Amino acid sequence: MVESFVRELARLIVKHPEYVVVERHNIADKFDEIVIYTHKEDAGKLIGKEGRMINALKTVISGCKAKDGISYRVNVRSAGEDE
């Protein structure tokens, strides 16, 4: 549920929605990481000025913790960027 929400929201924000890929990785018990891969031109759009866009997204996602009890960390990476 969280991945599809983040994917659709990111596709609305970016210039190249066809490059948006969202992955969810389990880091620990009750803690997951959501990674948004996007075109290199769009990474800044997802982060926003002073991180406002990504922080707003994190705030919305934190509401999911109340439902499923899992905490999330959200990262934005350009497609092809090394980990």
Side-chain angles (χ1 to χ4, degrees), residues 8-44:
E8 294 306 314
L9 183 63
R11 286 181 178 169
L12 292 172
I13 296 169
V14 299
K15 185 177 180 181
H16 304 283
E18 64 275 8
Y19 288 99
V20 173
V21 176
V22 176
E23 294 180 357
R24 180 176 173 177
H25 305 281
N26 184 275
I27 303 298
D29 188 40
K30 301 288 185 178
F31 186 74
D32 288 355
E33 177 182 43
I34 296 175
V35 182
I36 306 169
Y37 293 96
T38 186
H39 191 275
K40 63 182 178 180
E41 292 178 5
D42 293 327

Side-chain angles (χ1 to χ4, degrees), residues 17-80:
E18 64 275 8
Y19 288 99
V20 173
V21 176
V22 176
E23 294 180 357
R24 180 176 173 177
H25 305 281
N26 184 275
I27 303 298
D29 188 40
K30 301 288 185 178
F31 186 74
D32 288 355
E33 177 182 43
I34 296 175
V35 182
I36 306 169
Y37 293 96
T38 186
H39 191 275
K40 63 182 178 180
E41 292 178 5
D42 293 327
K45 286 185 180 185
L46 283 175
I47 295 169
K49 289 184 180 180
E50 297 180 7
R52 289 184 183 146
M53 184 66 73
I54 196 69
N55 286 333
L57 180 62
K58 289 176 183 180
T59 300
V60 172
I61 291 173
S62 69
C64 296
K65 182 179 180 182
K67 184 171 183 172
D68 61 14
I70 298 174
S71 296
Y72 296 97
R73 176 173 58 196
V74 180
N75 288 316
V76 177
R77 296 191 179 140
S78 297

